[in-house]
Amino acid sequence: MKDNELLRYSRHILLPQIDIEGQEKINSSKAVLIGLGGLGSVISMYLASSGIGRIVLIDHDEVEISNLQRQIIFQTEDIGKKKALIAQKFLQKLNPLVKIDTCIEKVQKCSTELIQDANVFIDASDNFETRFFLNELSLKNKIPLVSGAAVRFEGQISVFNLKPDSPCYHCLFDSSNFDLEDNCSTNGILSPLLGVIASMQVIETLKIIADFGTTLDGRLLLYDSQLVEWTTLKLKKDPDCNACKG
Ligand SMILES: [Zn+2]
């Protein structure tokens, strides 16, 4: 590690659970982030500042004025521009040592080269169709999925598909029970709640990559910001799950 890297990442390296070895794992890792909304804005900044060596940003949308209340990587002047390209520019300035690739299509249309060989998928999407697709992609490629979602005053975080016996997203949420077109564009959301959930997703991502602490594999963490209550639910692999059985 060069001097400028030792300095840049010194506050990670000072943590014995990470040290130089862990930071080197972070620097040589690849994370695919799906969605650059309220969660993805914050996630992408911490991924880049933490030194995740290769970051793939996937989002097909343009910045709208109603996004600016919570999607804090974007400026007022960015309205009408592609989110992934604006974010790429911002993050490259934040940390020139990391490589940032983009796909400005829906994830289903992005090239497999961009997605394969990732250490982790991070779901910051806003609809069930994408979430179920990502779960299948994660299972197929054996890449763990760090999942986060928030609506109104509540959020949730979990890690799926970390090990062969880990529950998958579909074990928890059966796709037949959902309107796949449903998304949160019609609901309100408390802006800084997204920062809380997004930060938790990056913590889980760094734990998986640098191998420290205990992840949320097999657990779902729920946060109610009005009551200031955190609840942990244990998750089990569903032996009859259509997505992950056999
Ligand atoms: Zn499953």
Side-chain angles (χ1 to χ4, degrees):
M1 206 178 275
K2 293 177 192 148
D3 281 354
N4 67 330
E5 291 172 277
L6 286 170
L7 282 171
R8 182 181 282 264
Y9 305 123
S10 58
R11 296 307 189 275
H12 267 167
I13 294 167
L14 281 169
L15 297 166
Q17 294 84 347
I18 298 183
D19 211 326
I20 292 185
E21 197 188 332
Q23 187 59 45
E24 280 174 340
K25 283 183 191 162
I26 294 169
N27 294 355
S28 57
S29 66
K30 174 177 173 181
V32 177
L33 171 62
I34 301 92
L36 282 164
L39 294 172
S41 289
V42 176
I43 292 169
S44 70
M45 287 192 262
Y46 276 127
L47 293 178
S49 68
S50 300
I52 301 280
R54 196 160 168 223
I55 301 165
V56 180
L57 305 174
I58 300 178
D59 198 300
H60 66 283
D61 268 340
E62 287 105 34
V63 180
E64 293 177 30
I65 191 168
S66 63
N67 299 153
L68 299 174
Q69 164 248 20
R70 64 200 177 281
Q71 302 183 14
I72 58 174
I73 198 171
F74 307 120
Q75 315 283 321
T76 306
E77 65 184 29
D78 298 328
I79 291 169
K81 296 179 189 161
K82 285 282 180 196
K83 288 182 178 181
L85 302 180
I86 297 293
Q88 181 185 34
K89 225 172 165 181
F90 181 98
L91 300 172
Q92 208 65 80
K93 277 194 208 166
L94 172 59
N95 189 351
L97 303 177
V98 303
K99 186 177 183 326
I100 297 157
D101 293 301
T102 58
C103 174
I104 53 170
E105 305 277 352
K106 286 193 172 186
V107 60
Q108 291 87 336
K109 286 189 179 173
C110 296
S111 86
T112 48
E113 277 165 37
L114 270 186
I115 289 161
Q116 68 192 10
D117 304 333
N119 297 85
V120 60
F121 289 150
I122 307 169
D123 180 10
S125 68
D126 65 353
N127 64 84
F128 290 107
E129 187 187 1
T130 305
R131 289 176 191 146
F132 286 113
F133 178 80
L134 285 177
N135 183 52
E136 281 177 27
L137 203 65
S138 155
L139 284 166
K140 198 176 112 192
N141 292 282
K142 298 188 169 59
I143 295 169
L145 176 66
V146 177
S147 168
V151 67
R152 294 179 287 268
F153 296 94
E154 293 105 50
Q156 59 182 51
I157 316 110
S158 191
V159 170
F160 299 106
N161 313 330
L162 185 66
K163 300 189 294 264
D165 62 345
S166 300
C168 84
Y169 184 78
H170 198 282
C171 292
L172 178 60
F173 300 106
D174 185 344
S175 56
S176 60
N177 294 338
F178 286 91
D179 175 1
L180 294 181
E181 297 289 310
D182 190 23
N183 67 45
C184 61
S185 61
T186 51
N187 291 304
I189 176 89
L190 187 69
S191 160
L193 169 66
L194 291 154
V196 174
I197 304 300
S199 299
M200 299 289 293
Q201 284 182 270
V202 185
I203 292 172
E204 293 307 300
T205 300
L206 293 174
K207 282 197 261 182
I208 292 168
I209 288 170
D211 195 19
F212 64 92
T214 307
T215 71
L216 281 170
D217 173 36
R219 288 182 293 164
L220 177 70
L221 183 61
L222 304 166
Y223 175 51
D224 182 326
S225 68
Q226 289 203 97
L227 298 174
V228 205
E229 275 183 3
W230 294 87
T231 312
T232 309
L233 303 178
K234 285 209 165 161
L235 303 179
K236 273 194 182 156
K237 195 178 181 78
D238 174 2
D240 298 321
C241 172
N242 281 331
C244 70
K245 71 175 175 192

